[in-house]
Amino acid sequence: MLDLIAASAPAVALRGSVTLYLLVNAAHVLGLGLLVGAIATLDLRLLGAFRAAPLPVLAPPLVRVAAVGLGLAALTGLALFSTRPATYLENPAFLAKLGLLAVALANLALLHAGRPWRAALAGGVVAGRLRLAAAVSLSAWLGVLLAGRWIGFLQ
């Protein structure tokens, strides 16, 4: 399976073009910047920062920016992974990144499915459970970012 991924047309094209690899890598960094920047701002607001900015006004555009960033980071991340899948799967930093990504995405799903999120978006109080989810989110996404940077140091 890994050999099929590595032999795919996108993987071959990325390995064969320094410029294409550079552009996909830059797009990955852009996606992460959009994602983590929006999520960090939203999580910090949920944790009590930026109280002058009403959550019902601030949250919707930040969630949309984070979603665009996540989509871009996921697409480009898969493309970058395809260049050397076996190598990445042997890298402890990559595995840590995947684990932290799973935590961040599970937390995101639980956060958005819960009643406290909907209440806060309606202008209600930010519940303690929501603050805890924001702390987990901020930690997990920053961990994803750090683990991603760590990958290159372990190759």
Side-chain angles (χ1 to χ4, degrees):
M1 180 67 161
L2 296 179
D3 290 337
L4 286 173
I5 293 170
S8 68
V12 171
L14 281 169
R15 282 194 305 272
S17 172
V18 174
T19 303
L20 181 59
Y21 190 90
L22 167 73
L23 293 173
V24 171
N25 200 5
H28 190 64
V29 171
L30 174 62
L32 290 170
L34 291 169
L35 170 64
V36 175
I39 290 294
T41 303
L42 181 56
D43 287 342
L44 289 171
R45 173 59 185 88
L46 291 170
L47 290 168
F50 321 120
R51 289 183 191 255
L55 189 60
V57 173
L58 191 62
L62 288 175
V63 168
R64 286 191 292 276
V65 168
V68 168
L70 178 60
L72 182 59
L75 287 174
T76 55
L78 288 171
L80 294 170
F81 171 78
S82 75
T83 63
R84 294 176 292 144
T87 302
Y88 281 115
L89 288 176
E90 293 174 352
N91 188 313
F94 180 76
L95 298 176
K97 179 179 179 175
L98 290 183
L100 289 163
L101 181 60
V103 169
L105 292 173
N107 185 65
L108 174 76
L110 291 172
L111 171 83
H112 284 270
R115 191 174 302 139
W117 173 251
R118 290 188 298 278
L121 283 183
V125 174
V126 176
R129 185 174 134 205
L130 195 53
R131 290 183 197 280
L132 177 61
V136 169
S137 171
L138 187 59
S139 299
W141 287 114
L142 290 175
V144 167
L145 189 66
L146 290 171
R149 289 297 308 138
W150 187 28
I151 291 169
F153 293 96
L154 298 181
Q155 291 185 356

